[in-house]
Amino acid sequence: MPNSSSISEFLLLPLADTRQLQLLHFWLLLGIYLAALLGNGLISTAVACDRRLHTPMYFFLLNLALLDLGCISTTLPKAMANALWDTRAISYAGCAAQIFFFYFFISSEFSLLTIMSYDRYVAICKPLHYGTLMDSRACATMAAAAWGAGVLNSLLHTASTFSLSLCQGNVVNQFFCEIPQILKLSCSGSYLREVVLLIFSVSLVFGCFVFIVVSYLQIFLAVLRMPSEQGRHKAFSMCLPHLAVVSLFIITGMYAYLNPHTLSFPSMNLMVALLYSVVPPVMNPLIYSMRNSEVKDAVRKVMVRCVSKAVKWPFFGIHVL
């Protein structure tokens, strides 16, 4: 049997068995990827360029958009390339890099979602203290802590996973390198350290999830006491989609990392991985930002500015808009 020192590449799970379906999956993933790039890119540009959006909430949205761009760019391009070129291979170093960056972005994102729930809690439940609790220094510190926690968590898991002896082949039953699938390739009993780390990380994530739920419950109670029906509707329409995306992220992630090997099915694993790694980066721009009139106005200005620079007469430098 091969061991980790003799493995130079891994074989990823193919998205389809036939060439026609592979090409169909390529175009589908390409459309999803471009939509994520467009949505998150527009939000990042709008928040960075519009001074009206230089507030704590939009500062965290900017960080979320950047993390979403990194997360989806870690997994989908390689899956699209494999589908297009009819291959399954990823190098050993490429697999390690994919795991490091994916867990860095996904860990930082969940930390940031927790911070964002706290920001909304302070804004709605403690508005008089918002300027003090969420000043620019506090926001920068919290954002840096989210990114730093992601780096630390990713380093620990990547180092622990790739220090294992792999003696069960090199076939990864997932469309990208995922720690639970790498653990299935390790020698019996050699992966207990990484399992302990995973359980600890999942416990922290669950604790953050409880914090998010409690924060939103406090927000809902405060919203119900609002005299304005329009204010209640606006708050609920903003908070409920946030909670839905976080719940989807947590449930599918916990299934992927706590599901016993004996109950694991490739098709189910593939669907769950798509739900927690692809759906949030695509949906977050719509749920967190595009429902907001200020962000939509800023995005519209960015698009008009880009079009006005791109669409012009070839002579005399005359702009159409």
Side-chain angles (χ1 to χ4, degrees), residues 41-55 57-63 65 289 295 298-299 302:
L42 283 175
I43 289 171
S44 301
T45 306
V47 173
C49 296
D50 195 326
R51 295 184 63 85
R52 295 179 305 163
L53 302 184
H54 292 178
T55 62
M57 182 178 74
Y58 297 115
F59 170 72
F60 293 132
L61 283 175
L62 170 61
N63 280 266
S289 302
V295 175
V299 168
V302 169

Side-chain angles (χ1 to χ4, degrees), residues 22-35:
Q22 284 181 337
L23 294 176
L24 177 63
H25 281 98
F26 166 76
W27 289 111
L28 179 62
L29 292 180
L30 180 62
I32 293 173
Y33 184 57
L34 292 178

Side-chain angles (χ1 to χ4, degrees), residues 3-78:
N3 54 43
S4 56
S5 62
S6 64
I7 293 178
S8 61
E9 66 178 18
F10 293 95
L11 299 179
L12 300 176
L13 181 70
L15 295 174
D17 297 328
T18 64
R19 186 61 183 147
Q20 291 78 8
L21 284 178
Q22 284 181 337
L23 294 176
L24 177 63
H25 281 98
F26 166 76
W27 289 111
L28 179 62
L29 292 180
L30 180 62
I32 293 173
Y33 184 57
L34 292 178
L37 290 182
L38 179 63
N40 289 289
L42 283 175
I43 289 171
S44 301
T45 306
V47 173
C49 296
D50 195 326
R51 295 184 63 85
R52 295 179 305 163
L53 302 184
H54 292 178
T55 62
M57 182 178 74
Y58 297 115
F59 170 72
F60 293 132
L61 283 175
L62 170 61
N63 280 266
L64 181 66
L66 295 176
L67 289 171
D68 280 335
L69 284 173
C71 183
I72 200 167
S73 296
T74 303
T75 57
L76 280 198
K78 181 59 179 175

Side-chain angles (χ1 to χ4, degrees), residues 153-193:
N153 183 61
S154 182
L155 277 174
L156 287 174
H157 282 291
T158 305
S160 176
T161 300
F162 285 92
S163 66
L164 299 174
S165 298
L166 305 179
C167 54
Q168 302 295 328
N170 67 336
V171 178
V172 177
N173 288 321
Q174 191 53 272
F175 76 97
F176 65 96
C177 285
E178 189 183 48
I179 288 178
Q181 303 302 325
I182 300 295
L183 294 183
K184 292 179 182 180
L185 307 179
S186 63
C187 302
S188 178
S190 67
Y191 58 85
L192 292 179
R193 177 180 56 194

